[in-house]
Amino acid sequence: MSIQVQNIQKRFGSFVALDNVSLDFPSGELVALLGPSGCGKTTLLRIIAGLEQADAGTVLLDGEDASSTHVRERQVGFVFQHYALFKHMTVFDNVAFGMRMKPRNVRPNETQIKKKVHDLLNLVQLDWLADRFPAQLSGGQRQRIALARALAVEPRVLLLDEPFGALDAKVRKELRRWLRKLHDELHITSIFVTHDQEEALEVADRIVLMDHGKVEQVGTPEEVYGHPATPFVYGFLGSVNLFHGRVEDSAVWVGEDAVPHHNTAIAQGSEVYAFARPHELEIVTDPNRTDGIKARVNRVLTFGVSSRVELDGVNGATGQHFEVELSQPQVQALALVAGQIVRLLPSRLKLFERSEAGLGVKR
Amino acid sequence: MSTATWVTESTRFERNIATSESAWVKWSIIGIAVSFFTLFLLMPLLAVFVEALRKGVGVYFASLVDADALHSIQLTLIAAAIAVPLNLVFGVAAAWAIAKFDFRGKQLLITLIDLPFSVSPVIVGLCYVLVFGANGWFGAWLIEHDLKVIFALPGIVLASIFVTFPFVARELIPLMQAQGREEEEAAIVLGANGWQTFWHVTLPNIKWGLLYGVILCNARAMGEFGAVSVVSGKIRGQTNTMPLHVEILYNEYQFAAAFAVASLLALLALVTLVIKTWVEHRVEQAMKQSTEGASS
Amino acid sequence: MPVSAVAARRFNVLPGFGLSLGYTLVYLSIIVLIPLGAVFLRTMDLTWAEFWQVVTAPRVVASYKLSFGASLAAAAINAVFGLMLAWALVRYSFPGKKIVDALVDLPFALPTAVAGIALTALYAPNGWLGQFIQGELGIKVAFGPLGVLVALVFIGLPFVVRTVQPILEDLETELEEAAASLGARRWQTFRYVVLPILLPALLTGFALAFARAVGEYGSVIFIAGNIPMVSEITPLMIITKLEQYDYTGATAIAVVMLVFSFFLLLIINGLQHWANRRTGRER
């Protein structure tokens, strides 16, 4: 089932949770709503479910306005952040709950319910836990039971609120892959909310980036990571080095230092934010060079095959910190020592004019 | 009860050098605290039973099967049987509104629900006399229709309700607030209607707190003295509840009989405390289980 | 209030808000608010001068002194010993601890009349404790102001223990470990680290015990002796007026007590708010 939200507004008192949000969720996709806490993503999910009411705007399910449809009739599966499993019921009874609550004339009989519950428990690979109580399960198991329970009512869409938020790192990784696999089997339209960019990039077909109640960018993981549309997206996805500068000739001037750039769309003299990923910076040790940004090596960290060099800005970029990612052989070749003055040359630089960037940059 | 009741294992504070005191400080505090407890709580309790049996078991039971005593027991049971369910329904409704919804004036409402705790029982009786008594607001109308509230069962029931008004709500509100709305929301998303949600999800989660609230409410309703004494008129064999019967016997210097009836009320109090302890134990077990499960 | 309350509420998928809140308000009004309102309206029958004369009659003033004085003293005694009892129950293991813990609530569950006659039996001149205290020490407990104090201590004890106990249980051992590692002696740790954390709860317990004691009737009248000007409590003055069919007189004294109780309730609410803020338990 496809979902569309149009011009959704929502405030809590004076706090604007959602500011005129319009989105399309095509049928069968797994979409991530990604953003920092307080960006409105959970509110949007709850509005789609019908757990919250928008102040203005519409939610269309399969093209039909669902505003007047009660949650009970929307046929959505909702997985709560803390699972909301019924503590006093066994795993079996939890999964059977939705079927048992149906009006008598459409309710399946106990044999059908039993079969359905076991099918679902098999699907989430936890059939052997049917008689346990939620308190006796691990976090990852609870998560999968919550999912089985949501699927039991044959929902047309599946909504998951921070599905991996309460789990430890290792279980989280496993469950991510498992959720992706499950979605590929079921192909049910799914939306999940997360604040973890890695999670969104790894699991979702499509990512919706949100900040301060607004949609910043929508796209596939490759698109949003490779071509961030706004400074916020650039800063939010992956680590990044930021320079404040001014465009003059074909260079960006950061204080007395200049780095070359080839973006002709930006007017001469405008103030810009310039972004470069850690692997997009090159370290130059030649003392005779005058281009690039002057920086002092602070320390060199090596783990695995790659190394990270942390530097402090000098000259124009005083007080700023930079990160450069290099391979081990490169680091050895450079033979950096702490306190050494070097120059940083970006191989690729993404510029945003400061006026358009506004206050969106946090990092 | 097993011997484990007597030998409690050392607390986490005693096992920690930074949170434990020297032995003499520890045993002095225990000594003073337990002496105070014995003097003010334990001895009065024992006194009830000792005094009740002072003149022998025969007198004890004779005092209980006396016609006036039996009538007072009956009246007490009837009054509680009406007052407690009414406060139970109120407590659940109030807790549902307060714990599961946000609205303006909530804090004021909670304060108003607590209000009966801080009103002297004598004033409670007075209130109803002013409303329903012969000179009260509805006095003339009630006499005209030959209805009696004051010096009759309805007055006793009303006074009992007022005095035990907050008990169930007070137990449930913090409990239901702590549980939040997520489980109920999950039930609704899964298609349950309001009644199904309450019955299958909310009620199982609050049953122990509810039980304790009801038990305490019941004990107080049966034992209320001041408020009931103002509205009952203390007509022997007609409007005397157990506590009032105790008073009358006591004032007539029938001490053994007074303490015999009192001992029934004291037993009720003890049963109440046993149930309370058991309920708390259950809740603690459930909490421990869920935290153990989460950490595994 | 109901109209604005409904208007201000946030959307919520759970049903039954109107019904449950409506029922709550109606029931609250019928049982509590309207009858209490009757007390205030009834005093309007009196002129200010008459009212003042009733509530400042010497016998009534003597009852205020006893009721408030004994209640304050009882609450103070409970604050000290209740804290020790709570401390012993949370921090130490000792034989019989579970029984002590369970029985602390006895005054909540035991009918006040029963407590009254039991205490009288103990402290009467020929009672278990009374014959010793009066015979050996020459102190009269029952049938005098001291008897009132004893009954009010009994009534108020659980309030202090049960407000302090949960705070003590939640106390992180790290705080005291930190204090110890910084060189504080045990007494200093208690005085400067533990006590300030307990203080709001201790004051709340004190105020609750005080409020309960001021209005207490059943447990007091048996042991007090009820001697005019000496050991009559204020609730008894209301009863006395009622027995003389002086309803307006009874009502006037009741209003004084009610106003005082509401004032105390405000203070208690403020204290609890403070305690919650200090211990970080919001609501």
Side-chain angles (χ1 to χ4, degrees):
Chain A
M1 186 176 69
S2 71
I3 305 168
Q4 283 143 303
V5 297
Q6 296 175 339
N7 311 102
I8 296 280
Q9 298 270 4
K10 179 75 185 177
R11 322 169 135 260
F12 296 112
S14 61
F15 176 76
V16 181
L18 292 170
D19 186 6
N20 200 16
V21 170
S22 299
L23 284 167
D24 256 329
F25 300 92
S27 194
E29 277 198 357
L30 177 55
V31 182
L33 292 180
L34 174 64
S37 61
C39 74
K41 55 195 192 299
T42 293
T43 307
L44 181 60
L45 194 76
R46 288 174 64 90
I47 287 175
I48 294 171
L51 286 167
E52 204 82 61
Q53 221 165 31
D55 301 334
T58 43
V59 176
L60 303 177
L61 300 179
D62 257 348
E64 271 175 59
D65 187 354
S67 307
S68 56
T69 316
H70 192 270
V71 224
R72 217 175 283 135
E73 277 93 44
R74 281 197 193 187
Q75 281 185 283
V76 295
F78 199 98
V79 177
F80 289 82
Q81 189 176 359
H82 304 287
Y83 323 130
L85 291 178
F86 306 128
K87 292 186 276 294
H88 59 286
M89 295 182 198
T90 60
V91 163
F92 183 95
D93 290 336
N94 262 286
V95 178
F97 184 86
M99 288 181 270
R100 286 179 176 159
M101 291 304 116
K102 289 189 176 176
R104 191 150 299 173
N105 52 353
V106 292
R107 191 189 306 164
N109 64 33
E110 275 299 314
T111 347
Q112 290 166 310
I113 291 177
K114 198 166 178 187
K115 182 173 180 317
K116 182 78 184 264
V117 171
H118 283 296
D119 287 349
L120 283 164
L121 289 176
N122 279 324
L123 180 73
V124 299
Q125 299 154 359
L126 290 175
D127 196 34
W128 52 288
L129 290 176
D131 297 326
R132 299 270 185 98
F133 285 92
Q136 298 163 307
L137 307 182
S138 72
Q141 289 167 337
R142 284 180 207 182
Q143 172 64 267
R144 286 192 273 169
I145 297 302
L147 196 65
R149 183 178 71 174
L151 291 171
V153 291
E154 299 181 356
R156 300 186 293 169
V157 294
L158 193 56
L159 307 173
L160 306 101
D161 186 7
E162 293 278 1
F164 314 113
L167 303 170
D168 53 50
K170 188 164 166 279
V171 183
R172 194 185 288 218
K173 271 215 142 111
E174 265 170 41
L175 267 183
R176 266 188 222 160
R177 255 173 250 138
W178 176 81
L179 179 71
R180 182 66 238 183
K181 225 181 98 219
L182 190 76
H183 183 263
D184 291 340
E185 282 171 37
L186 300 174
H187 275 296
I188 175 170
T189 314
S190 308
I191 305 175
F192 74 99
V193 156
T194 180
H195 64 271
D196 181 342
Q197 33 117 355
E198 203 182 310
E199 197 169 292
L201 292 169
E202 195 179 310
V203 179
D205 293 321
R206 187 182 294 268
I207 295 175
V208 175
L209 271 131
M210 294 182 66
D211 188 40
H212 288 100
K214 287 191 168 138
V215 174
E216 294 273 329
Q217 189 176 5
V218 183
T220 63
E222 296 73 37
E223 280 166 5
V224 294
Y225 189 82
H227 307 282
T230 66
F232 166 78
V233 177
Y234 214 114
F236 195 75
L237 293 177
S239 39
V240 75
N241 294 296
L242 165 68
F243 310 95
H244 302 265
R246 196 160 38 82
V247 175
E248 254 165 48
D249 304 326
S250 59
V252 175
W253 287 84
V254 181
E256 300 155 25
D257 300 328
V259 285
H261 87 109
H262 314 287
N263 187 339
T264 48
I266 291 178
Q268 291 291 316
S270 34
E271 300 282 325
V272 293
Y273 291 118
F275 290 97
R277 302 262 183 223
H279 64 266
E280 294 169 343
L281 285 178
E282 191 189 338
I283 296 180
V284 184
T285 47
D286 180 357
N288 299 321
R289 289 281 285 269
T290 53
D291 53 348
I293 291 165
K294 220 170 171 182
R296 183 185 295 113
V297 176
N298 193 359
R299 46 179 201 160
V300 181
L301 299 161
T302 303
F303 25 74
V305 289
S306 70
S307 296
R308 196 169 78 213
V309 185
E310 293 181 354
L311 308 100
D312 296 329
V314 288
N315 279 355
T318 317
Q320 271 206 281
H321 304 284
F322 302 114
E323 248 181 66
V324 180
E325 229 176 76
L326 298 169
S327 69
Q328 273 217 49
Q330 281 175 304
V331 172
Q332 273 158 10
L334 286 168
L336 296 169
V337 288
Q340 187 178 352
I341 300 290
V342 296
R343 283 181 179 272
L344 299 175
L345 270 175
S347 58
R348 183 163 167 259
L349 201 57
K350 174 85 181 171
L351 298 186
F352 295 99
E353 271 187 74
R354 240 197 245 208
S355 54
E356 85 177 70
L359 298 165
V361 178
K362 274 198 184 157
R363 304 209 212 168
Chain B
M1 277 187 216
S2 65
T3 49
T5 315
W6 295 94
V7 189
T8 41
E9 59 181 286
S10 60
T11 65
R12 67 187 168 109
F13 299 102
E14 284 172 301
R15 291 189 296 261
N16 187 329
I17 199 157
T19 55
S20 49
E21 292 80 31
S22 57
W24 74 267
V25 172
K26 169 181 160 178
W27 287 104
S28 304
I29 293 176
I30 294 176
I32 295 171
V34 171
S35 307
F36 187 76
F37 165 84
T38 309
L39 195 62
F40 281 95
L41 295 185
L42 197 56
M43 288 192 60
L45 183 64
L46 292 177
V48 174
F49 293 101
V50 172
E51 293 292 331
L53 294 167
R54 181 161 292 225
K55 292 204 174 142
V57 181
V59 175
Y60 179 82
F61 283 108
S63 323
L64 296 184
V65 295
D66 168 76
D68 289 345
L70 284 179
H71 187 272
S72 76
I73 294 172
Q74 193 191 354
L75 183 64
T76 299
L77 291 176
I78 293 172
I82 303 172
V84 174
L86 283 174
N87 278 342
L88 165 66
V89 173
F90 159 74
V92 172
W96 180 263
I98 289 170
K100 304 290 180 190
F101 296 88
D102 299 313
F103 55 92
R104 212 181 292 156
K106 190 194 257 190
Q107 209 48 48
L108 176 69
L109 183 59
I110 295 176
T111 307
L112 288 177
I113 289 173
D114 274 348
L115 196 58
F117 277 152
S118 47
V119 174
S120 172
V122 171
I123 297 179
V124 174
L126 174 68
C127 285
Y128 290 117
V129 170
L130 293 179
V131 176
F132 298 108
N135 297 317
W137 289 353
F138 303 118
W141 186 86
L142 286 169
I143 291 167
E144 212 171 281
H145 291 80
D146 202 22
L147 295 170
K148 276 194 99 170
V149 174
I150 301 305
F151 304 150
L153 180 66
I156 295 170
V157 170
L158 278 173
S160 306
I161 291 179
F162 189 115
V163 171
T164 58
F165 187 85
F167 280 104
V168 177
R170 211 59 207 128
E171 261 328 290
L172 292 187
I173 290 170
L175 195 64
M176 282 168 69
Q177 274 178 336
Q179 279 163 355
R181 287 198 283 256
E182 240 188 23
E183 284 191 40
E184 279 85 2
E185 283 181 349
I188 299 272
V189 175
L190 290 167
N193 64 32
W195 178 245
Q196 288 171 320
T197 303
F198 177 76
W199 190 255
H200 293 289
V201 176
T202 309
L203 199 58
N205 277 333
I206 60 170
K207 61 184 173 195
W208 299 117
L210 189 67
L211 177 67
Y212 176 52
V214 166
I215 292 294
L216 198 58
C217 180
N218 179 64
R220 288 296 281 268
M222 289 189 171
E224 179 48 30
F225 177 73
V228 171
S229 92
V230 174
V231 293
S232 95
K234 303 179 194 171
I235 308 162
R236 211 171 175 150
Q238 282 184 37
T239 60
N240 253 352
T241 62
M242 287 168 78
L244 298 179
H245 191 60
V246 169
E247 185 200 16
I248 289 188
L249 292 172
Y250 190 84
N251 288 341
E252 288 171 353
Y253 301 102
Q254 300 188 44
F255 292 137
F259 277 103
V261 179
S263 73
L264 285 187
L265 290 167
L267 274 178
L268 172 72
L270 287 179
V271 169
T272 304
L273 294 185
V274 167
I275 295 177
K276 180 204 154 125
T277 310
W278 180 69
V279 165
E280 277 175 352
H281 180 72
R282 291 291 307 230
V283 171
E284 210 173 288
Q285 288 304 98
M287 295 263 287
K288 210 180 277 176
Q289 206 181 40
S290 69
T291 47
E292 271 170 15
S295 60
S296 73
Chain C
M1 190 185 81
V3 178
S4 67
V6 175
R9 117 188 139 95
R10 273 180 46 191
F11 176 76
N12 193 323
V13 289
L14 303 184
F17 176 69
L19 182 69
S20 58
L21 185 66
Y23 181 74
T24 301
L25 292 174
V26 169
Y27 191 78
L28 177 72
S29 305
I30 293 176
I31 298 292
V32 178
L33 300 182
I34 294 173
L36 279 180
V39 176
F40 286 93
L41 284 179
R42 188 61 176 253
T43 41
M44 304 287 177
D45 293 357
L46 292 170
T47 65
W48 179 248
E50 285 169 325
F51 175 81
W52 192 249
Q53 199 192 349
V54 173
V55 301
T56 57
R59 201 169 147 196
V60 179
V61 171
S63 84
Y64 298 149
K65 283 182 186 159
L66 177 65
S67 271
F68 291 106
S71 299
L72 266 181
I77 290 171
N78 278 329
V80 174
F81 290 96
L83 175 61
M84 286 176 127
L85 194 49
W87 186 273
L89 286 174
V90 172
R91 299 252 163 171
Y92 306 136
S93 50
F94 55 91
K97 173 172 152 175
K98 285 192 178 170
I99 289 176
V100 174
D101 198 5
L103 280 182
V104 164
D105 281 329
L106 185 70
F108 284 157
L110 192 72
T112 53
V114 176
I117 61 170
L119 288 168
T120 313
L122 284 179
Y123 290 95
N126 59 348
W128 300 1
L129 297 166
Q131 55 185 327
F132 169 75
I133 299 173
Q134 193 152 359
E136 306 283 318
L137 306 175
I139 302 169
K140 183 176 157 188
V141 179
F143 314 126
L146 262 185
V148 176
L149 180 67
V150 167
L152 296 183
V153 168
F154 172 85
I155 285 301
L157 180 61
F159 288 98
V160 174
V161 179
R162 293 304 187 217
T163 43
V164 172
Q165 206 175 4
I167 309 291
L168 261 178
E169 262 160 14
D170 287 356
L171 210 62
E172 313 241 349
T173 47
E174 278 99 13
L175 288 177
E176 285 161 76
E177 287 167 2
S181 74
L182 293 167
R185 269 167 292 140
R186 193 68 193 125
W187 167 251
Q188 290 172 314
T189 304
F190 175 78
R191 169 69 187 78
Y192 294 106
V193 178
V194 179
L195 194 61
I197 297 171
L198 295 181
L199 193 63
L202 193 60
L203 284 177
T204 306
F206 172 86
L208 285 170
F210 179 51
R212 172 72 204 268
V214 168
E216 178 56 22
Y217 176 69
S219 59
V220 178
I221 50 151
F222 293 99
I223 200 171
N226 307 327
I227 310 155
M229 304 298 290
V230 176
S231 62
E232 279 183 326
I233 53 168
T234 310
L236 181 69
M237 297 312 301
I238 297 176
I239 295 273
T240 312
K241 297 265 180 206
L242 273 178
E243 280 169 356
Q244 297 159 354
Y245 298 101
D246 177 7
Y247 289 125
T248 30
T251 311
I253 301 171
V255 162
V256 173
M257 286 194 73
L258 277 179
V259 168
F260 178 77
S261 302
F262 295 161
F263 182 65
L264 257 186
L265 195 66
L266 271 182
I267 293 179
I268 291 168
N269 267 341
L271 280 173
Q272 271 166 347
H273 191 71
W274 181 38
N276 289 344
R277 250 201 349 233
R278 190 168 270 202
T279 52
R281 307 173 153 199
E282 271 317 316
R283 270 191 306 165

